[in-house]
Amino acid sequence: MIDLHAHSTCSDGTDSPRALINQALIQNLSVIAVTDHDTISGWVEAQSALRLNLQLVLGAEISCLTETGVSVHMLGLLFDGENQEMRKMLDETRDSRIPRMIKMIQLLNDAGISVTMDDVIAAKPDGATLGRPHLADALVNLGLIKSRDEAFQGLLNNDSPFYVSHLAPTPEVAIMQIRAAGGVAVIAHAFASLRGKVLSREDFAPMVSAGLNGIEVDHRDHSGIERGELRAIARELDLVITGSSDYHGTGKLNVLGENTTDQGQWEKLESMANERRVVRL
Ligand code: AMP
Ligand code: FE
Ligand code: FE
Ligand code: ZN
């Protein structure tokens, strides 16, 4: 079983990279990708936890913003972690999450909801990419809400008045950067309409021109209809079709391996990287 999208405590997952690899072994996966938001800081620990019979794909999920303000997540897999331009793009996106969090906290405070940056930092593992899930955890710790899920259904939803976006590359810039660093680019949960505004059919052609390799079709946040539409777009544009769990430990319901990628599609995707970078013992 091949799962190409999972998070650790280096972003908003609750399993350390080592625990994530152990879970992948327990679930009998053959391939697991570590794709934390805007960071590669989990790569070293994930590699050191690797065991026989499991192959590791090193990656990142890059937060992007289209020119019309649609939030898009781009999976970069199998790229060279030493690529300086790539590192710079990840650093800039990560850094901009701090002023963005300060703004969201200010908006909440203005509405009479008392939460501070210290509360959020206390809820976040050291070194993790700062995000709304940590703000949600702070609100849970303060007893203001019950769960991350409750936060994302209301207060912290993309459509909420408290939502603020952070600086991020466009999907095309992210794709070009991933490809320039030798990796492959797969657009994550592109039609997950329950998250807010999503892309439309016409948005795919420019991403293909930028070098997009694949579309994540089988994902918990896609309805059957949305999967069908994405599958048709992938066939039309000759893109690889993936399925993945987007596992976040106990931070979300998603179970490792609940959606998987077909072996043939995976081989096709892997062959598009400029080097064989899958880690195996
Ligand atoms: P941010 O990148 O700070 O805008 O936060 C978005 C992140 O929140 C995404 O990466 C999701 O993984 C996470 N997220 C979205 N919906 C939920 C949910 N219902 N429960 C937990 N985490 C969520
Ligand atoms: Fe996440
Ligand atoms: Fe995502
Ligand atoms: Zn994800």
Side-chain angles (χ1 to χ4, degrees):
M1 287 204 299
I2 300 162
D3 191 339
L4 297 178
H5 183 173
H7 296 264
S8 78
T9 44
C10 294
S11 61
D12 55 352
T14 60
D15 285 358
S16 65
R18 176 172 302 279
L20 172 61
I21 295 298
N22 286 337
Q23 273 306 316
L25 288 161
I26 291 166
Q27 300 300 323
N28 252 315
L29 296 185
S30 52
V31 180
I32 178 76
V34 176
T35 55
D36 278 302
H37 296 290
D38 307 316
T39 186
I40 62 169
S41 65
W43 285 16
V44 171
E45 186 182 320
Q47 285 190 70
S48 70
L50 199 60
R51 295 286 174 269
L52 277 178
N53 303 326
L54 179 64
Q55 295 182 21
L56 172 63
V57 176
L58 298 170
E61 183 175 18
I62 301 166
S63 318
C64 306
L65 208 54
T66 68
E67 265 139 30
T68 55
V70 180
S71 160
V72 171
H73 286 177
M74 192 63 61
L75 293 166
L77 307 173
L78 302 171
F79 60 85
D80 172 12
E82 298 298 320
N83 184 283
Q84 292 307 308
E85 288 301 310
M86 186 70 182
R87 281 176 172 260
K88 195 165 148 242
M89 184 173 77
L90 295 172
D91 288 350
E92 282 173 359
T93 304
R94 237 175 22 248
D95 290 349
S96 79
R97 287 170 164 276
I98 297 165
R100 175 265 195 141
M101 183 60 70
I102 293 170
K103 282 187 204 154
M104 287 191 70
I105 290 169
Q106 188 59 53
L107 290 171
L108 288 163
N109 291 166
D110 292 348
I113 300 162
S114 290
V115 57
T116 65
M117 191 64 170
D118 285 345
D119 296 329
V120 178
I121 298 301
K124 183 180 88 72
D126 266 352
T129 300
L130 175 65
R132 279 179 285 165
H134 305 114
L135 175 54
D137 291 347
L139 295 169
V140 171
N141 294 342
L142 290 165
L144 296 170
I145 54 164
K146 290 217 165 47
S147 64
R148 279 189 182 182
D149 217 41
E150 185 183 331
F152 278 92
Q153 312 234 341
L155 279 183
L156 304 187
N157 192 273
N158 287 32
D159 299 325
S160 125
F162 305 113
Y163 177 76
V164 177
S165 60
H166 54 80
L167 282 182
T170 63
E172 288 77 15
V173 165
I175 291 166
M176 287 189 281
Q177 191 50 68
I178 293 163
R179 300 302 309 275
V184 294
V186 176
I187 183 161
H189 46 71
F191 278 180
S193 55
L194 54 92
R195 290 169 178 243
K197 208 151 58 116
V198 295
L199 294 178
S200 50
R201 219 165 217 288
E202 301 72 56
D203 294 320
F204 285 83
M207 291 194 291
V208 171
S209 304
L212 183 69
N213 302 93
I215 301 182
E216 184 181 58
V217 171
D218 290 310
H219 183 285
R220 166 184 287 256
D221 293 353
H222 286 150
S223 67
I225 291 171
E226 288 164 348
R227 290 178 199 212
E229 288 169 351
L230 283 171
R231 211 176 291 280
I233 293 171
R235 291 215 176 99
E236 196 181 307
L237 298 174
D238 194 25
L239 294 168
V240 169
I241 291 169
T242 73
S244 34
S245 65
D246 201 358
Y247 176 70
H248 280 70
T250 57
K252 271 186 170 182
L253 296 173
N254 312 29
V255 180
L256 210 56
E258 68 174 22
N259 283 296
T260 55
T261 300
D262 173 82
Q263 176 74 29
Q265 293 293 304
W266 162 236
E267 284 169 13
K268 190 171 161 195
L269 186 65
E270 199 212 336
S271 74
M272 291 168 171
N274 76 337
E275 268 182 41
R276 299 214 91 103
R277 288 204 185 81
V278 177
V279 186
R280 63 192 98 202
L281 294 186

